[in-house]
Amino acid sequence: MSNSFTIAVDGPAAAGKGTISKAVAAHYGFGHLDTGLLYRAVGAKMMEGVAPVTAAQTLTPEDLAREDLRGPEVAQAASKVAVISEVRAALVDFQRAFARRAGGAVLDGRDIGTVICPYAQVKLFVTASAEVRARRRFLELTAAGKVITLAEVLADVKARDDRDMNRAEAPLKPADDAVLIDTSELSIEEALAKALAVIESRMETAG
Ligand code: CDP
Ligand code: CDP
């Protein structure tokens, strides 16, 4: 295996990208970057009145460590700033440097396999039906104490999917060489086993 090995994990909201990426990174001792956090941090700053491009150009580790980035309001703001090409451009170098880190990296997001790391040795596109994804996110949010209905979460997920898939720059779509994993009917363990099987076979090919 070469010194840097990159695994790109893309897909729509609450498909299970982060869960798979975190477990895969722990399995191989790779670094993991949840790139959605970058857009969420920019979205949160926009909600506070900072211009999105300025926010993206001046993002700090503290901005990414904020505890208020997980909610649906910030998620909506994230998908709004994510259509701005200068915002995306300001975040590219950081993501690419992370992807090249020695020892291997897993990045999850929307455009990792298509734009950020087209050379990635492994590309997974993790998906599930909007209803299943909304239910998962609803359970997560209510467990964290958020007062919200399933219908509101479904509307949030669908609005973001729509915006993410139809934007001009770096739209959400599987890379031509991505392997699709539909987790609608899979447990976390089953989804992870599928991902690991794909990665193992690619690692053998990559030598
Ligand atoms: O990163 P992404 O938004 O794609 O989704 P996630 O945060 O990894 O997963 C959303 C929720 O679905 C989490 O609470 C997971 O535990 C749950 N889940 C899953 O990820 N995969 C399954 N096969 C079943 C549930
Ligand atoms: O966790 P979840 O899948 O719900 O969302 P996220 O991964 O935290 O991403 C929040 C938003 O950031 C998405 O809806 C996208 O609009 C944007 N995003 C993006 O455009 N490109 C990425 N590589 C990651 C996120």
Side-chain angles (χ1 to χ4, degrees):
M1 199 168 80
S2 63
N3 201 21
S4 98
F5 192 93
T6 307
I7 301 176
V9 183
D10 290 304
K17 305 178 300 294
T19 305
I20 288 177
S21 300
K22 217 171 170 181
V24 163
H27 184 85
Y28 294 109
F30 288 3
H32 169 222
L33 180 64
D34 168 3
T35 65
L37 269 189
L38 304 172
Y39 295 91
R40 284 176 181 260
V42 174
K45 293 201 126 190
M46 179 183 74
M47 287 165 74
E48 290 164 355
V50 182
V53 177
T54 307
Q57 287 169 345
T58 57
L59 219 51
T60 65
E62 292 72 40
D63 294 329
L64 301 180
R66 289 169 58 150
E67 287 187 356
D68 61 347
L69 300 181
R70 287 280 152 218
E73 297 83 7
V74 174
Q76 282 295 337
S79 84
K80 286 178 185 160
V81 300
V83 306
I84 304 169
S85 54
E86 292 93 332
V87 166
R88 305 200 72 84
L91 302 174
V92 167
D93 288 351
F94 175 73
Q95 294 176 83
R96 288 199 177 137
F98 191 95
R100 296 276 195 196
R101 79 211 302 263
V106 187
L107 287 82
D108 75 273
R110 301 293 185 287
D111 62 339
I112 309 303
T114 50
V115 174
I116 301 297
C117 305
Y119 61 83
Q121 285 87 343
V122 181
K123 296 180 188 177
L124 303 176
F125 193 86
V126 181
T127 187
S129 73
E131 287 70 24
V132 166
R133 291 185 286 116
R135 180 162 293 279
R136 288 177 183 166
R137 187 49 52 85
F138 171 72
L139 292 175
E140 252 178 352
L141 290 169
T142 49
K146 174 89 183 164
V147 179
I148 194 160
T149 65
L150 178 57
E152 285 169 333
V153 178
L154 181 60
D156 167 71
V157 159
K158 285 185 167 170
R160 280 202 290 139
D161 285 357
D162 191 53
R163 206 179 285 122
D164 292 350
M165 289 188 295
N166 292 307
R167 66 185 174 217
E169 193 161 330
L172 168 65
K173 62 172 183 196
D176 292 338
D177 51 350
V179 176
L180 251 72
I181 300 180
D182 188 329
T183 70
S184 301
E185 315 254 319
L186 300 182
S187 68
I188 291 173
E189 292 71 25
E190 289 167 334
L192 179 60
K194 283 206 171 196
L196 288 174
V198 174
I199 297 164
E200 287 296 325
S201 76
R202 292 298 155 88
M203 281 180 165
E204 278 166 26
T205 324

